[in-house]
Amino acid sequence: MAAAALCWALRAARQVLPSPCPRQARSYYVDWRMLRDVKRRKMAYEHADERLRINAIRKNSILPRELQEVADKEIAALPRDSCPVRIRNRCVVTSRPRGVKRRWRLSRIVFRHFADHAQMSGVQRAMW
Amino acid sequence: KDKSAASKDSTPEGASKRQEDGAETPKQQLLDIIGNMKVEVSYRKKLQQLKASESKKQALNKLEGLDSEGSVPQGTTEDIQRGKPLNPELVKAASAVASSLPRNKKQTESELLAQLRRHEETTDKQKKGGTLNIRNVISEMTVKRQTPAQRTAGISGRISLQLDEDGRRIRSERSSARSVGSRRSLKVGKRLNIFTKASTEPEHTLKTVSSPTIWDLEFAKEVAAVTAQPPRNGFEEMIQWTKEGILWEFPIDNEVGMEDDAEFHEHIFLEKHLEGFPKEGPIRHFMELVICGLSKNPYLSVKQKVEHIEWFQKYFEEKKELLQEI
């Protein structure tokens, strides 16, 4: 019985454990601005449903105006970081706020660097 | 088998003969052995041997009856001497019977002794356990004879393009015949005791494994870390990645992680959730629009849609006093 439990635990552990292969392990964000951006994203995710529903009540022509005003006040009372407008798509590698291509989440400089070293799959220097 | 039995007989017989006759030249012994090896396996001879053994048994009984001194123990024939040479008294009896019978003395004696030995061996076997008597096994088996009609049907079926109707009919006939035949052979017949019943252990369903302790988990992790070798080639690397979740499983399943067991009508017909709302007024109008939108939404699960509607219900109940003022 104990042996069976051990075997199961072994199997589970094998799957979960990261391989001993050397790989970049990042334990810190690049800078504080990136960290704040991460916090904002988390909060936005948590409050997304509420915001959607309250906004549905607000942007309405059927419900009475008083109700809509109450909803306005409610949405303003939510924490500031919960709105998605405050999220900035920063570069994942350098935390650069500008010049970031959405598809790769990289700033233009990093993108160029990787592409030239042939580390971007399917990306080629344009020539026509 | 018979030859080995005969050889077995020859040695103890030779030994017994040596005891009986005293000093015998090795040449004589050899001759005896060769003479004993003439035990043949033909069916007629077997019958004759059986008859001879029966007569010998009767003679033995007579001898036992005559020997009122009681020197001969009663159950000589049933005396079990596993692998040992035959009882010298048996041998004496055999020689006496052989002398009484009108035939080549030595040959009959050897045959009788061979029969005796075989008899003892079978009794030993039977006493030990159920032997596989091949006769019983074969008796139950019957040679299945296909009727010529069936044969022709089979051949025609193979040759011709298997038209569904005809093929079905032929197949059904054959299958029915086969099933009938198999049914008969399965349920009818005495047990052969070939297969031993596997002892059905009560499967330990109540294996109350107390959830593996932290120490067990840690130990397991340690072992896994030690035994995990770095991948030798690209395939193993990909396997590792798949296990970790970095690589998707191929062929790609678009619905991995999504388990929506609800039917389509649960997604579309959401009016039953609108029972808590007033039947008239702007709120009802608003909620009907909400439901219309939700029914067209393929991205949410039924649970999420129901939660959506319930949130609205709660919200409007909180605002009831306000609404009544209006």
Side-chain angles (χ1 to χ4, degrees):
Chain A
M1 287 203 305
L6 259 181
C7 285
W8 167 86
L10 244 180
R11 254 176 264 144
R14 265 208 193 110
Q15 286 170 10
V16 166
L17 257 191
S19 64
C21 269
R23 212 186 277 153
Q24 259 189 350
R26 285 161 177 262
S27 44
Y28 300 105
Y29 289 110
V30 178
D31 53 9
W32 288 94
R33 283 172 287 173
M34 196 191 234
L35 182 77
R36 276 181 276 154
D37 197 52
V38 168
K39 281 189 205 166
R40 277 178 208 131
R41 283 171 193 261
K42 282 184 189 162
M43 282 215 77
Y45 180 79
E46 283 163 27
H47 295 276
D49 294 335
E50 269 180 62
R51 288 192 94 94
L52 174 77
R53 287 154 192 169
I54 296 171
N55 267 328
I57 293 169
R58 278 173 69 221
K59 315 283 179 181
N60 228 331
S61 52
I62 306 161
L63 294 173
R65 245 175 242 178
E66 289 84 2
L67 202 62
Q68 285 172 4
E69 280 160 26
V70 169
D72 283 342
K73 285 177 202 165
E74 272 193 14
I75 205 167
L78 283 175
R80 212 163 256 199
D81 273 351
S82 64
C83 61
V85 189
R86 289 174 70 108
I87 295 170
R88 180 83 196 180
N89 290 328
R90 287 176 164 273
C91 169
V92 167
V93 178
T94 51
S95 176
R96 199 162 190 274
R98 296 195 173 98
V100 181
K101 287 309 276 177
R102 240 211 176 167
R103 184 173 169 181
W104 297 279
R105 301 178 187 176
L106 293 174
S107 87
R108 54 179 177 83
I109 304 155
V110 177
F111 175 83
R112 251 182 119 246
H113 178 268
F114 284 142
D116 287 341
H117 288 74
Q119 284 162 7
M120 297 294 279
S121 170
V123 173
Q124 199 187 16
R125 273 188 162 266
M127 189 164 40
W128 72 97
Chain B
K1 261 191 213 168
D2 290 309
K3 274 195 178 171
S4 63
S7 57
K8 272 188 197 168
D9 298 342
S10 63
T11 40
E13 199 196 355
S16 56
K17 274 201 170 170
R18 256 174 264 152
Q19 288 166 14
E20 281 181 337
D21 304 335
E24 254 196 13
T25 52
K27 236 189 183 179
Q28 272 276 304
Q29 286 169 17
L30 264 175
L31 284 169
D32 290 335
I33 290 161
I34 293 162
N36 296 336
M37 281 197 173
K38 276 186 188 169
V39 178
E40 285 166 39
V41 197
S42 64
Y43 192 57
R44 227 193 254 168
K45 288 236 168 177
K46 265 195 176 172
L47 267 179
Q48 288 161 357
Q49 279 170 14
L50 277 168
K51 284 183 194 168
S53 66
E54 280 174 16
S55 64
K56 189 199 77 181
K57 275 182 199 169
Q58 288 168 12
L60 272 170
N61 290 333
K62 281 184 200 164
L63 277 170
E64 284 167 17
L66 286 170
D67 281 28
S68 56
E69 292 164 8
S71 59
V72 178
Q74 279 288 315
T76 38
T77 45
E78 290 154 21
D79 213 354
I80 296 158
Q81 292 176 7
R82 294 176 192 176
K84 285 184 185 174
L86 290 172
N87 213 354
E89 285 137 340
L90 279 176
V91 172
K92 275 187 195 169
S95 59
V97 166
S99 59
S100 63
L101 288 172
R103 251 198 184 185
N104 187 11
K105 190 183 168 190
K106 278 200 177 174
Q107 203 180 27
T108 47
E109 204 182 320
S110 65
E111 283 169 11
L112 289 168
L113 286 165
Q115 269 293 309
L116 255 182
R117 184 147 273 282
R118 255 174 264 146
H119 190 72
E120 274 193 24
E121 280 177 27
T122 50
T123 46
D124 287 348
K125 272 190 206 169
Q126 275 168 12
K127 289 221 176 178
K128 278 178 198 172
T131 42
L132 181 60
N133 209 350
I134 299 175
R135 272 186 206 161
N136 291 343
V137 173
I138 295 169
S139 66
E140 288 303 311
M141 296 187 187
T142 53
V143 177
K144 192 196 167 190
R145 299 233 168 106
Q146 258 189 350
T147 59
Q150 278 178 342
R151 236 180 275 159
T152 50
I155 292 162
S156 64
R158 270 174 238 154
I159 292 167
S160 68
L161 297 165
Q162 285 171 352
L163 305 166
D164 263 343
E165 291 174 35
D166 296 344
R168 261 183 223 162
R169 266 184 238 147
I170 292 162
R171 266 178 233 157
S172 65
E173 278 174 14
R174 250 188 278 155
S175 64
S176 64
R178 265 180 213 164
S179 64
V180 163
S182 64
R183 246 180 267 150
R184 271 192 67 207
S185 62
L186 277 174
K187 295 186 184 174
V188 170
K190 60 179 175 183
R191 281 184 160 245
L192 295 169
N193 293 329
I194 300 173
F195 301 108
T196 53
K197 247 190 182 179
S199 57
T200 51
E201 284 176 23
E203 286 185 13
H204 303 284
T205 50
L206 290 174
K207 271 187 180 176
T208 51
V209 180
S210 56
S211 58
T213 61
I214 299 166
W215 307 118
D216 289 339
L217 287 168
E218 284 302 311
F219 179 64
K221 279 184 200 169
E222 248 188 81
V223 171
V226 166
T227 54
Q229 299 289 326
R232 295 176 293 177
N233 51 34
F235 290 117
E236 292 196 2
E237 202 182 26
M238 284 204 274
I239 290 167
Q240 221 161 40
W241 285 345
T242 314
K243 281 185 197 164
E244 288 172 30
I246 295 166
L247 206 60
W248 283 348
E249 286 185 20
F250 292 93
I252 290 177
D253 185 16
N254 276 326
E255 291 171 14
V256 166
M258 255 171 59
E259 284 180 28
D260 211 7
D261 306 323
E263 301 281 312
F264 73 96
H265 55 85
E266 287 171 46
H267 274 97
I268 292 168
F269 302 114
L270 299 160
E271 278 167 8
K272 55 185 170 179
H273 302 293
L274 275 190
E275 282 159 19
F277 292 95
K279 291 213 175 182
E280 281 178 0
I283 291 177
R284 182 78 182 192
H285 188 44
F286 173 73
M287 285 317 293
E288 277 174 11
L289 285 173
V290 166
I291 274 165
C292 180
L294 280 178
S295 69
K296 293 184 192 175
N297 189 336
Y299 302 107
L300 296 177
S301 67
V302 176
K303 235 187 175 185
Q304 285 169 324
K305 290 181 185 175
V306 169
E307 272 175 27
H308 200 89
I309 295 167
E310 279 173 10
W311 184 91
F312 272 114
Q313 204 171 5
K314 250 198 287 175
Y315 183 81
F316 286 127
E317 284 203 12
E318 283 170 15
K319 310 292 170 197
K320 246 189 183 174
E321 304 101 17
L322 213 157
L323 291 169
Q324 271 152 16
E325 279 173 34
I326 304 162

